[in-house]
Amino acid sequence: MELGIIGLPNSSKTTIFNALTRGTAPTSSGSSGKLEFNTAVVDVPDQRVDRLSEIFQPRKTTYAKVTYTDIAGLDQGVAKKGFSGELRNRIAKMDAFVHVVRAFEDESVPHPLATINPQRDLSILDDEMILVDLLAIQTRIERIGESMRRAKKGSEEQAALEIEQALMTRLSDWLEAGAPLRDMNLADEELHSIRSFAFLTLKPVLVLVNSGDEVIPPDKLVTYQHRHTVVMSLQGKLEMEIAQLDLDEATVFMEEFDIAEPALDRMIRASYDLVGLQSFFTVGEDEVRAWTVRKGATAVEAAGAIHSDLARGFIRADVVAYDDLISVGGSMAEARKAGKARLEGKDYLVQDGEILHVRFAL
Ligand SMILES: Nc1nc2c(ncn2[C@@H]2O[C@H](COP(=O)(O)OP(=O)(O)OP(=O)(O)O)[C@@H](O)[C@H]2O)c(=O)[nH]1
Ligand SMILES: [Mg+2]
């Protein structure tokens, strides 16, 4: 899973990226405006994994992962002037966006529009994305028109073109009204039929408002009500500083500033939820590990996430909920005795936080 970090120039994208990745990519107040991508894979913090590791004392602990890519180069006017080639390809691949919005005041950091106004900045890039989608749809509608002139009247081809034309026109009207496609009611087969367009406004968005030196709740900074959207605020520079400390120093620092958990940890988990993913765990002396599957995945799909052999030879899975396993001190055998572990078949729908042990034969 990959999330693209977008935002206006100098909005603090790279600062957030560094905080997320404990990285040191160069940040600067003189935004270069160049096309640049920094990518890193980040562990999804999960206290359940920590607890299971304490119990099982495995040789190795593995967290779920999310990939973040810092995408510089989006700015006002990009839809009409600069949205092509590498930038388009890179962005189309993203599963979701982290939209970084500047709310911090700092005279040494120039703002491309000179004033601080998070609501305005949020709409600027949103409107650009709407325009990018709209332009793609208009091109498609023109092509459909050409094909329709060539297609035989009453043919299957013509019928299919008419259906597509009607859908594209609906999408276009929706975007013209200024709303993202993710707010629209679309049937599964409609969503499927437009998948290859990788429309930007269909992708989930995590809005991250950087409030700088102050803690300010997000709803005091922006109003943003859309589907598949999470809005959070954080103190960007502070988060980057915490991320660059070692664990002991970070603990002392956080106690001093009365921070229970870095905002970034919450944000990483929120990104994971946002794209419809969940974790299940496997435990043992060798490894305690979080695996990623979509919400609604079956036991056999979960087995396949571990190894294709496990899916192929799947017999049954021992399943126990995280809280139930903890309540019996972490022992699978005790969980079974207490009637808390179940044997489930292929079609069982795995729930977030369950511990699975797959029985299989090849
Ligand atoms: N005062 C203050 N400055 C910040 C904060 N976060 C980032 N900055 C500064 O803002 C400037 C721009 O930050 P970057 O992270 O480079 O911004 P960017 O969005 O990656 O910029 P481009 O990639 O050039 O578009 C840098 O000088 C940062 O140090 C913050 O929370 N408070
Ligand atoms: Mg940058």
Side-chain angles (χ1 to χ4, degrees):
M1 176 180 61
E2 184 172 2
L3 283 93
I5 303 175
I6 59 169
L8 289 180
N10 261 356
S11 55
S12 68
K13 300 178 292 294
T14 306
T15 302
I16 303 292
F17 175 81
N18 284 340
L20 278 167
T21 60
R22 300 175 183 274
T24 51
T27 58
S28 73
S29 58
S31 182
S32 66
K34 267 195 322 215
L35 256 196
E36 264 173 356
F37 310 112
N38 296 310
T39 290
V41 179
V42 176
D43 283 343
V44 180
D46 193 331
Q47 286 171 355
R48 298 169 301 184
V49 177
D50 299 337
R51 186 83 188 85
L52 290 169
S53 280
E54 280 166 27
I55 294 172
F56 288 88
Q57 297 286 321
R59 279 183 276 279
K60 193 174 164 201
T61 299
T62 308
Y63 294 85
K65 312 268 185 232
V66 183
T67 302
Y68 289 97
T69 298
D70 172 11
I71 302 172
L74 290 183
D75 197 356
Q76 197 162 25
V78 73
K80 287 232 162 92
K81 288 196 298 250
F83 200 73
S84 60
E86 203 186 349
L87 183 60
R88 173 183 285 281
N89 293 340
R90 209 66 182 81
I91 287 192
K93 271 195 1 194
M94 297 299 150
D95 297 294
F97 294 119
V98 175
H99 189 159
V100 177
V101 180
R102 170 171 177 180
F104 63 89
E105 305 267 356
D106 187 334
E107 292 195 346
S108 69
V109 180
H111 189 294
L113 288 112
T115 52
I116 306 302
N117 183 338
Q119 189 73 49
R120 172 202 62 201
D121 291 0
L122 181 54
S123 330
I124 288 177
L125 269 206
D126 264 4
D127 289 348
E128 290 297 329
M129 302 219 274
I130 286 177
L131 193 53
V132 165
D133 285 351
L134 200 52
L135 292 171
I137 289 170
Q138 282 165 357
T139 306
R140 183 64 200 153
I141 290 178
E142 280 166 29
R143 297 256 162 83
I144 296 173
E146 288 163 18
S147 305
M148 278 174 93
R149 280 191 287 281
R150 281 196 304 269
K152 248 203 223 122
K153 279 226 163 62
S155 66
E156 247 176 60
E157 188 196 356
Q158 202 201 22
L161 286 166
E162 272 169 17
I163 291 175
E164 197 191 346
Q165 188 182 44
L167 175 59
M168 287 295 159
T169 307
R170 260 171 71 214
L171 300 182
S172 163
D173 291 348
W174 186 269
L175 291 166
E176 293 264 14
L181 292 177
R182 65 185 187 284
D183 282 352
M184 210 174 159
N185 289 323
L186 291 166
D188 284 347
E189 63 269 21
E190 289 174 329
L191 281 171
H192 186 79
S193 73
I194 59 175
R195 246 177 52 192
S196 62
F197 288 93
F199 289 126
L200 304 187
T201 66
L202 209 48
K203 296 179 193 285
V205 178
L206 198 158
V207 174
L208 202 59
V209 191
N210 182 351
S211 61
D213 292 342
E214 287 173 81
V215 181
I216 307 176
D219 52 355
K220 292 255 153 54
L221 297 165
V222 292
T223 308
Y224 197 68
Q225 272 158 346
H226 296 290
R227 289 186 190 168
H228 307 296
T229 304
V230 176
V231 184
M232 296 178 73
S233 59
L234 86 179
Q235 298 176 269
K237 225 177 190 165
L238 182 77
E239 291 286 334
M240 182 166 115
E241 282 160 11
I242 295 175
Q244 281 161 358
L245 298 174
D246 63 39
L247 199 60
D248 290 344
E249 289 172 336
T251 312
V252 172
F253 186 92
M254 282 165 56
E255 268 166 17
E256 207 167 300
F257 283 86
D258 200 20
I259 307 169
E261 184 193 24
L264 260 299
D265 284 8
R266 273 189 293 129
M267 184 241 149
I268 297 169
R269 279 201 310 275
S271 357
Y272 193 72
D273 274 355
L274 185 68
V275 294
L277 297 174
Q278 60 175 1
S279 296
F280 71 92
F281 309 120
T282 53
V283 295
E285 281 170 19
D286 276 343
E287 190 179 25
V288 164
R289 180 161 182 168
W291 302 88
T292 302
V293 286
R294 60 180 183 87
K295 289 179 183 142
T298 60
V300 71
E301 281 171 26
I306 301 172
H307 198 285
S308 56
D309 283 350
L310 264 62
R312 219 164 358 108
F314 184 94
I315 303 170
R316 279 176 180 283
D318 291 287
V319 179
V320 54
Y322 170 80
D323 287 333
D324 288 342
L325 188 66
I326 296 299
S327 73
V328 294
S331 151
M332 251 330 193
E334 289 298 323
R336 239 173 261 131
K337 259 193 237 156
K340 292 190 162 160
R342 291 156 286 135
L343 266 181
E344 300 283 2
K346 277 190 178 176
D347 297 328
Y348 172 72
L349 298 182
V350 174
Q351 307 295 308
D352 186 53
E354 284 177 336
I355 291 96
L356 260 69
H357 177 76
V358 177
R359 301 186 187 187
F360 70 110
L362 288 175

